[in-house]
mmCIF file of all heavy atoms in Angstrom:
data_model
loop_
_atom_site.group_PDB
_atom_site.id
_atom_site.type_symbol
_atom_site.label_atom_id
_atom_site.label_comp_id
_atom_site.label_asym_id
_atom_site.label_seq_id
_atom_site.Cartn_x
_atom_site.Cartn_y
_atom_site.Cartn_z
ATOM 1 N N MET A 164 205.336 116.068 274.945
ATOM 2 C CA MET A 164 204.124 116.340 275.734
ATOM 3 C C MET A 164 202.875 115.980 274.934
ATOM 4 O O MET A 164 201.935 115.382 275.459
ATOM 5 C CB MET A 164 204.092 117.837 276.106
ATOM 6 C CG MET A 164 205.156 118.252 277.072
ATOM 7 S SD MET A 164 204.953 120.012 277.539
ATOM 8 C CE MET A 164 206.335 120.254 278.639
ATOM 9 N N ALA A 165 202.879 116.323 273.639
ATOM 10 C CA ALA A 165 201.713 116.029 272.802
ATOM 11 C C ALA A 165 201.470 114.492 272.696
ATOM 12 O O ALA A 165 200.324 114.077 272.628
ATOM 13 C CB ALA A 165 201.920 116.604 271.405
ATOM 14 N N GLU A 166 202.504 113.730 272.707
ATOM 15 C CA GLU A 166 202.376 112.254 272.676
ATOM 16 C C GLU A 166 201.646 111.750 273.918
ATOM 17 O O GLU A 166 200.777 110.880 273.852
ATOM 18 C CB GLU A 166 203.749 111.593 272.564
ATOM 19 C CG GLU A 166 203.756 110.070 272.678
ATOM 20 C CD GLU A 166 203.246 109.403 271.414
ATOM 21 O OE1 GLU A 166 203.005 110.097 270.401
ATOM 22 O OE2 GLU A 166 203.094 108.181 271.475
ATOM 23 N N ARG A 167 201.967 112.313 275.036
ATOM 24 C CA ARG A 167 201.283 111.932 276.291
ATOM 25 C C ARG A 167 199.830 112.364 276.240
ATOM 26 O O ARG A 167 198.935 111.657 276.672
ATOM 27 C CB ARG A 167 201.996 112.574 277.488
ATOM 28 C CG ARG A 167 203.324 111.921 277.786
ATOM 29 C CD ARG A 167 204.069 112.681 278.907
ATOM 30 N NE ARG A 167 205.255 111.916 279.267
ATOM 31 C CZ ARG A 167 205.350 111.001 280.252
ATOM 32 N NH1 ARG A 167 204.244 110.792 281.025
ATOM 33 N NH2 ARG A 167 206.412 110.350 280.523
ATOM 34 N N GLN A 168 199.581 113.521 275.685
ATOM 35 C CA GLN A 168 198.229 114.044 275.580
ATOM 36 C C GLN A 168 197.354 113.197 274.641
ATOM 37 O O GLN A 168 196.209 112.891 274.936
ATOM 38 C CB GLN A 168 198.224 115.526 275.139
ATOM 39 C CG GLN A 168 196.879 116.141 275.095
ATOM 40 C CD GLN A 168 196.935 117.601 274.671
ATOM 41 O OE1 GLN A 168 197.923 118.035 274.040
ATOM 42 N NE2 GLN A 168 195.957 118.366 275.051
ATOM 43 N N SER A 169 197.916 112.847 273.528
ATOM 44 C CA SER A 169 197.105 112.191 272.491
ATOM 45 C C SER A 169 197.018 110.665 272.689
ATOM 46 O O SER A 169 196.058 110.044 272.227
ATOM 47 C CB SER A 169 197.680 112.498 271.077
ATOM 48 O OG SER A 169 198.988 111.918 270.969
ATOM 49 N N ARG A 170 198.029 110.047 273.354
ATOM 50 C CA ARG A 170 198.022 108.598 273.431
ATOM 51 C C ARG A 170 198.124 108.045 274.865
ATOM 52 O O ARG A 170 197.323 107.201 275.259
ATOM 53 C CB ARG A 170 199.178 108.047 272.575
ATOM 54 C CG ARG A 170 199.173 108.566 271.156
ATOM 55 C CD ARG A 170 200.178 107.897 270.292
ATOM 56 N NE ARG A 170 199.733 106.548 269.916
ATOM 57 C CZ ARG A 170 200.315 105.863 268.918
ATOM 58 N NH1 ARG A 170 201.307 106.335 268.233
ATOM 59 N NH2 ARG A 170 199.836 104.662 268.574
ATOM 60 N N LEU A 171 199.093 108.485 275.635
ATOM 61 C CA LEU A 171 199.311 107.879 276.937
ATOM 62 C C LEU A 171 198.120 108.060 277.869
ATOM 63 O O LEU A 171 197.572 107.057 278.384
ATOM 64 C CB LEU A 171 200.528 108.454 277.617
ATOM 65 C CG LEU A 171 200.793 107.919 279.044
ATOM 66 C CD1 LEU A 171 201.029 106.420 279.017
ATOM 67 C CD2 LEU A 171 202.014 108.633 279.661
ATOM 68 N N TYR A 172 197.668 109.281 278.082
ATOM 69 C CA TYR A 172 196.612 109.517 279.065
ATOM 70 C C TYR A 172 195.262 108.951 278.605
ATOM 71 O O TYR A 172 194.539 108.358 279.445
ATOM 72 C CB TYR A 172 196.493 111.026 279.421
ATOM 73 C CG TYR A 172 197.744 111.513 280.128
ATOM 74 C CD1 TYR A 172 198.445 112.609 279.683
ATOM 75 C CD2 TYR A 172 198.207 110.853 281.259
ATOM 76 C CE1 TYR A 172 199.580 113.073 280.306
ATOM 77 C CE2 TYR A 172 199.349 111.311 281.915
ATOM 78 C CZ TYR A 172 200.037 112.387 281.449
ATOM 79 O OH TYR A 172 201.174 112.787 282.080
ATOM 80 N N PRO A 173 194.892 109.063 277.320
ATOM 81 C CA PRO A 173 193.676 108.356 276.903
ATOM 82 C C PRO A 173 193.741 106.834 277.113
ATOM 83 O O PRO A 173 192.743 106.211 277.487
ATOM 84 C CB PRO A 173 193.565 108.690 275.423
ATOM 85 C CG PRO A 173 194.275 110.021 275.273
ATOM 86 C CD PRO A 173 195.396 109.900 276.251
ATOM 87 N N ARG A 174 194.924 106.259 276.880
ATOM 88 C CA ARG A 174 195.025 104.790 277.056
ATOM 89 C C ARG A 174 194.960 104.436 278.535
ATOM 90 O O ARG A 174 194.352 103.419 278.909
ATOM 91 C CB ARG A 174 196.317 104.311 276.417
ATOM 92 C CG ARG A 174 196.434 102.781 276.330
ATOM 93 C CD ARG A 174 195.280 102.142 275.526
ATOM 94 N NE ARG A 174 195.360 102.484 274.120
ATOM 95 C CZ ARG A 174 194.437 103.175 273.422
ATOM 96 N NH1 ARG A 174 193.369 103.672 274.050
ATOM 97 N NH2 ARG A 174 194.615 103.445 272.167
ATOM 98 N N LEU A 175 195.589 105.252 279.388
ATOM 99 C CA LEU A 175 195.451 104.965 280.852
ATOM 100 C C LEU A 175 194.005 105.030 281.290
ATOM 101 O O LEU A 175 193.538 104.188 282.064
ATOM 102 C CB LEU A 175 196.274 106.053 281.636
ATOM 103 C CG LEU A 175 197.780 105.868 281.646
ATOM 104 C CD1 LEU A 175 198.452 107.076 282.262
ATOM 105 C CD2 LEU A 175 198.180 104.628 282.465
ATOM 106 N N ARG A 176 193.258 105.991 280.775
ATOM 107 C CA ARG A 176 191.844 106.089 281.136
ATOM 108 C C ARG A 176 191.071 104.871 280.692
ATOM 109 O O ARG A 176 190.235 104.353 281.427
ATOM 110 C CB ARG A 176 191.273 107.331 280.484
ATOM 111 C CG ARG A 176 191.823 108.656 280.984
ATOM 112 C CD ARG A 176 191.170 109.114 282.249
ATOM 113 N NE ARG A 176 189.748 109.418 282.052
ATOM 114 C CZ ARG A 176 188.929 109.754 283.047
ATOM 115 N NH1 ARG A 176 189.388 109.766 284.312
ATOM 116 N NH2 ARG A 176 187.670 110.046 282.840
ATOM 117 N N ASP A 177 191.385 104.393 279.497
ATOM 118 C CA ASP A 177 190.686 103.268 278.927
ATOM 119 C C ASP A 177 190.995 101.930 279.667
ATOM 120 O O ASP A 177 190.119 101.298 280.171
ATOM 121 C CB ASP A 177 191.075 103.174 277.435
ATOM 122 C CG ASP A 177 190.490 101.956 276.741
ATOM 123 O OD1 ASP A 177 189.437 101.479 277.221
ATOM 124 O OD2 ASP A 177 191.077 101.492 275.765
ATOM 125 N N VAL A 178 192.285 101.611 279.737
ATOM 126 C CA VAL A 178 192.682 100.318 280.274
ATOM 127 C C VAL A 178 192.440 100.272 281.790
ATOM 128 O O VAL A 178 191.877 99.300 282.306
ATOM 129 C CB VAL A 178 194.171 100.042 279.959
ATOM 130 C CG1 VAL A 178 194.642 98.790 280.647
ATOM 131 C CG2 VAL A 178 194.333 99.930 278.434
ATOM 132 N N PHE A 179 192.828 101.290 282.493
ATOM 133 C CA PHE A 179 192.695 101.294 283.933
ATOM 134 C C PHE A 179 191.220 101.494 284.354
ATOM 135 O O PHE A 179 190.766 100.978 285.380
ATOM 136 C CB PHE A 179 193.555 102.317 284.583
ATOM 137 C CG PHE A 179 195.012 101.961 284.587
ATOM 138 C CD1 PHE A 179 195.512 100.936 283.842
ATOM 139 C CD2 PHE A 179 195.934 102.678 285.365
ATOM 140 C CE1 PHE A 179 196.871 100.577 283.843
ATOM 141 C CE2 PHE A 179 197.288 102.369 285.396
ATOM 142 C CZ PHE A 179 197.717 101.310 284.596
ATOM 143 N N GLY A 180 190.466 102.197 283.510
ATOM 144 C CA GLY A 180 189.056 102.344 283.769
ATOM 145 C C GLY A 180 188.343 100.978 283.728
ATOM 146 O O GLY A 180 187.485 100.676 284.567
ATOM 147 N N GLU A 181 188.700 100.160 282.761
ATOM 148 C CA GLU A 181 188.108 98.821 282.661
ATOM 149 C C GLU A 181 188.521 98.023 283.871
ATOM 150 O O GLU A 181 187.692 97.289 284.460
ATOM 151 C CB GLU A 181 188.540 98.161 281.373
ATOM 152 C CG GLU A 181 187.970 96.758 281.227
ATOM 153 C CD GLU A 181 188.439 96.049 279.966
ATOM 154 O OE1 GLU A 181 189.596 96.270 279.561
ATOM 155 O OE2 GLU A 181 187.658 95.247 279.426
ATOM 156 N N ALA A 182 189.785 98.105 284.270
ATOM 157 C CA ALA A 182 190.277 97.338 285.439
ATOM 158 C C ALA A 182 189.526 97.726 286.724
ATOM 159 O O ALA A 182 189.161 96.888 287.532
ATOM 160 C CB ALA A 182 191.767 97.541 285.607
ATOM 161 N N ILE A 183 189.263 98.995 286.891
ATOM 162 C CA ILE A 183 188.544 99.487 288.045
ATOM 163 C C ILE A 183 187.158 98.904 288.086
ATOM 164 O O ILE A 183 186.667 98.431 289.121
ATOM 165 C CB ILE A 183 188.476 101.028 288.040
ATOM 166 C CG1 ILE A 183 189.852 101.621 288.376
ATOM 167 C CG2 ILE A 183 187.447 101.570 289.010
ATOM 168 C CD1 ILE A 183 189.984 103.095 288.074
ATOM 169 N N ASN A 184 186.450 98.893 286.962
ATOM 170 C CA ASN A 184 185.098 98.340 286.903
ATOM 171 C C ASN A 184 185.109 96.829 287.269
ATOM 172 O O ASN A 184 184.248 96.386 288.005
ATOM 173 C CB ASN A 184 184.511 98.528 285.504
ATOM 174 C CG ASN A 184 184.228 99.989 285.201
ATOM 175 O OD1 ASN A 184 183.970 100.768 286.094
ATOM 176 N ND2 ASN A 184 184.159 100.325 283.921
ATOM 177 N N ILE A 185 186.108 96.124 286.790
ATOM 178 C CA ILE A 185 186.181 94.700 287.113
ATOM 179 C C ILE A 185 186.411 94.493 288.568
ATOM 180 O O ILE A 185 185.723 93.657 289.245
ATOM 181 C CB ILE A 185 187.327 94.039 286.287
ATOM 182 C CG1 ILE A 185 186.944 93.957 284.817
ATOM 183 C CG2 ILE A 185 187.661 92.658 286.832
ATOM 184 C CD1 ILE A 185 188.079 93.569 283.868
ATOM 185 N N LEU A 186 187.332 95.183 289.153
ATOM 186 C CA LEU A 186 187.630 95.054 290.593
ATOM 187 C C LEU A 186 186.442 95.417 291.440
ATOM 188 O O LEU A 186 186.157 94.724 292.466
ATOM 189 C CB LEU A 186 188.854 95.912 290.952
ATOM 190 C CG LEU A 186 190.212 95.421 290.422
ATOM 191 C CD1 LEU A 186 191.259 96.519 290.602
ATOM 192 C CD2 LEU A 186 190.661 94.143 291.119
ATOM 193 N N GLU A 187 185.745 96.464 291.084
ATOM 194 C CA GLU A 187 184.581 96.848 291.890
ATOM 195 C C GLU A 187 183.480 95.852 291.764
ATOM 196 O O GLU A 187 182.814 95.508 292.779
ATOM 197 C CB GLU A 187 184.143 98.271 291.453
ATOM 198 C CG GLU A 187 185.092 99.375 291.864
ATOM 199 C CD GLU A 187 184.694 100.741 291.455
ATOM 200 O OE1 GLU A 187 183.857 100.890 290.500
ATOM 201 O OE2 GLU A 187 185.136 101.706 292.052
ATOM 202 N N GLU A 188 183.207 95.402 290.568
ATOM 203 C CA GLU A 188 182.106 94.441 290.380
ATOM 204 C C GLU A 188 182.367 93.146 291.155
ATOM 205 O O GLU A 188 181.471 92.623 291.831
ATOM 206 C CB GLU A 188 181.957 94.136 288.890
ATOM 207 C CG GLU A 188 181.324 95.231 288.093
ATOM 208 C CD GLU A 188 181.351 94.939 286.599
ATOM 209 O OE1 GLU A 188 181.629 93.782 286.237
ATOM 210 O OE2 GLU A 188 181.074 95.855 285.789
ATOM 211 N N GLU A 189 183.586 92.633 291.060
ATOM 212 C CA GLU A 189 183.872 91.320 291.732
ATOM 213 C C GLU A 189 183.992 91.472 293.222
ATOM 214 O O GLU A 189 183.550 90.597 293.964
ATOM 215 C CB GLU A 189 185.133 90.727 291.124
ATOM 216 C CG GLU A 189 185.002 90.326 289.664
ATOM 217 C CD GLU A 189 183.944 89.250 289.436
ATOM 218 O OE1 GLU A 189 183.723 88.407 290.341
ATOM 219 O OE2 GLU A 189 183.323 89.235 288.358
ATOM 220 N N SER A 190 184.631 92.543 293.666
ATOM 221 C CA SER A 190 184.825 92.678 295.143
ATOM 222 C C SER A 190 183.547 92.989 295.879
ATOM 223 O O SER A 190 183.429 92.720 297.061
ATOM 224 C CB SER A 190 185.905 93.734 295.407
ATOM 225 O OG SER A 190 185.497 95.023 295.022
ATOM 226 N N ASP A 191 182.593 93.590 295.179
ATOM 227 C CA ASP A 191 181.313 93.862 295.815
ATOM 228 C C ASP A 191 180.592 92.580 296.247
ATOM 229 O O ASP A 191 179.664 92.651 297.064
ATOM 230 C CB ASP A 191 180.404 94.694 294.907
ATOM 231 C CG ASP A 191 180.752 96.167 294.903
ATOM 232 O OD1 ASP A 191 181.527 96.584 295.818
ATOM 233 O OD2 ASP A 191 180.317 96.921 293.998
ATOM 234 N N LYS A 192 180.993 91.468 295.688
ATOM 235 C CA LYS A 192 180.341 90.189 295.998
ATOM 236 C C LYS A 192 180.942 89.526 297.203
ATOM 237 O O LYS A 192 180.457 88.486 297.640
ATOM 238 C CB LYS A 192 180.450 89.261 294.766
ATOM 239 C CG LYS A 192 179.896 89.798 293.460
ATOM 240 C CD LYS A 192 180.289 88.901 292.308
ATOM 241 C CE LYS A 192 179.853 89.530 290.975
ATOM 242 N NZ LYS A 192 180.251 88.662 289.831
ATOM 243 N N SER A 193 182.042 90.040 297.730
ATOM 244 C CA SER A 193 182.764 89.331 298.815
ATOM 245 C C SER A 193 183.474 90.299 299.735
ATOM 246 O O SER A 193 184.276 91.137 299.324
ATOM 247 C CB SER A 193 183.840 88.444 298.170
ATOM 248 O OG SER A 193 184.751 88.014 299.092
ATOM 249 N N PRO A 194 183.151 90.229 301.067
ATOM 250 C CA PRO A 194 183.887 91.067 302.041
ATOM 251 C C PRO A 194 185.392 90.796 302.025
ATOM 252 O O PRO A 194 186.211 91.760 302.135
ATOM 253 C CB PRO A 194 183.285 90.651 303.374
ATOM 254 C CG PRO A 194 181.953 90.089 303.054
ATOM 255 C CD PRO A 194 182.084 89.425 301.713
#
């Protein structure tokens, strides 16, 4: 459980957070 707390969930926040920003920025330019 501690491994998920210290590494998995922070990395999900980091990598997927960047992906979300990219998708939102690019898709806002096109219906």
Side-chain angles (χ1 to χ4, degrees):
M164 293 183 181
E166 174 75 6
R167 287 174 173 267
Q168 183 178 23
S169 64
R170 306 188 78 165
L171 176 62
Y172 295 126
R174 190 59 68 243
L175 284 170
R176 295 278 294 175
D177 175 26
V178 174
F179 286 12
E181 181 182 33
I183 287 166
N184 290 336
I185 289 170
L186 289 168
E187 289 180 338
E188 287 173 12
E189 293 299 329
S190 65
D191 280 347
K192 304 171 186 176
S193 164

